Amino acid sequence: MIRRALVALAVGAVVLAVAAPAGAHITVEPSQAPKGSDAVLAFTVPNELESADTVRVEIAFPTDHPIADASVEPLAGWTATVQRAKAPKPIQTDNGEVTEMVQSVTWSGGAIKPGEFQEFKVSVGLPGDADSLEFKAVQTYSNGQIVRWIEDSPPNGPEPDNPAPVLTLTGEEATGTTRPAAATKIDDEDSTARTIGIIGIVMGALGLVVAGVAIVSRRRGTPGAA
């Protein structure tokens, strides 16, 4: 019985340790921003394969609520390409009407190793007539595998396997900043708490395994023990 319990605990600890990052997918931060504001969007891209690097990331910009321009933050080892297209209708900006929109931004030339992630940042002016923006993403690996993060997330349904990153636009006044420090702190604390909780569960399970092994060893080494 003791041996079976030890094996079950060991297997559970390993499963927890391996499964913790399994739900990772491409996300955009901040997750919310005021309508019509200037924002720096960070697309977080994790590598989910164990034997290949992520070598190309393409972020498609929305066409139903187009964005007029995007400035890309330089990233060592990566080359960014901004693809533009004709907008379905003129876009109102602080500098007047613009007839072109950002179609996509693609990063290539670099590598995200297994178990690592990378943030890709762009500065944009957000539209004032939308409640949310969906950025479909395509992730290409060095072994040729392509993962398309393009599925819509239903408002009240389960999250799909490959959801597209979504930015929610709020009715707040644009102030030039898109994420209050307090919100950043809360998000960071939540993430840290989840990580600590997972580590605690794994370490607790491993502790039980070690303790159980010690008990079994003592029983075997004690004369007359069953």
Side-chain angles (χ1 to χ4, degrees):
M1 291 294 293
I2 293 177
R3 288 182 180 178
R4 291 179 181 175
L6 293 178
V7 171
L9 286 172
V11 171
V14 172
V15 169
L16 283 171
V18 173
H25 49 257
I26 296 181
T27 58
V28 59
E29 289 293 335
S31 58
Q32 296 184 352
K35 296 179 180 181
S37 67
D38 293 328
V40 175
L41 305 181
F43 294 93
T44 301
V45 181
N47 189 324
E48 295 186 312
L49 297 187
E50 296 181 355
S51 59
D53 299 342
T54 294
V55 295
R56 188 174 185 271
V57 176
E58 179 181 356
I59 304 295
F61 277 50
T63 57
D64 51 349
H65 298 283
I67 293 175
D69 198 13
S71 298
V72 181
E73 180 179 78
L75 185 60
W78 294 85
T79 299
T81 302
V82 179
Q83 184 71 34
R84 304 181 63 82
K86 184 176 178 58
K89 62 180 180 180
I91 305 171
Q92 297 293 334
T93 70
D94 293 339
N95 298 320
E97 286 190 350
V98 175
T99 58
E100 286 191 338
M101 66 178 187
V102 178
Q103 186 176 50
S104 64
V105 179
T106 303
W107 288 267
S108 59
I112 307 174
K113 302 293 183 181
E116 299 180 352
F117 73 93
Q118 182 65 62
E119 283 189 343
F120 300 90
K121 296 182 179 181
V122 295
S123 176
V124 298
L126 299 172
D129 60 348
D131 294 325
S132 65
L133 298 176
E134 185 178 72
F135 297 86
K136 296 183 184 296
V138 177
Q139 182 176 11
T140 303
Y141 287 91
S142 56
N143 62 359
Q145 182 173 337
I146 297 176
V147 180
R148 292 177 169 82
W149 304 93
I150 61 174
E151 297 178 332
D152 299 330
S153 297
N156 300 313
E159 184 179 72
D161 292 335
N162 296 90
V166 175
L167 173 67
T168 300
L169 300 183
T170 66
E172 302 171 11
E173 292 293 329
T175 60
T177 58
T178 62
R179 198 181 192 196
T184 302
K185 182 178 180 181
I186 291 173
D187 288 349
D188 291 343
E189 288 177 350
D190 288 345
S191 178
T192 301
R194 286 193 297 269
T195 301
I196 292 174
I198 292 171
I199 293 174
I201 293 172
V202 173
M203 294 304 295
L206 291 176
L208 290 174
V209 172
V210 173
V213 170
I215 292 172
V216 172
S217 298
R218 285 199 298 271
R219 287 172 60 88
R220 288 181 176 177
T222 301

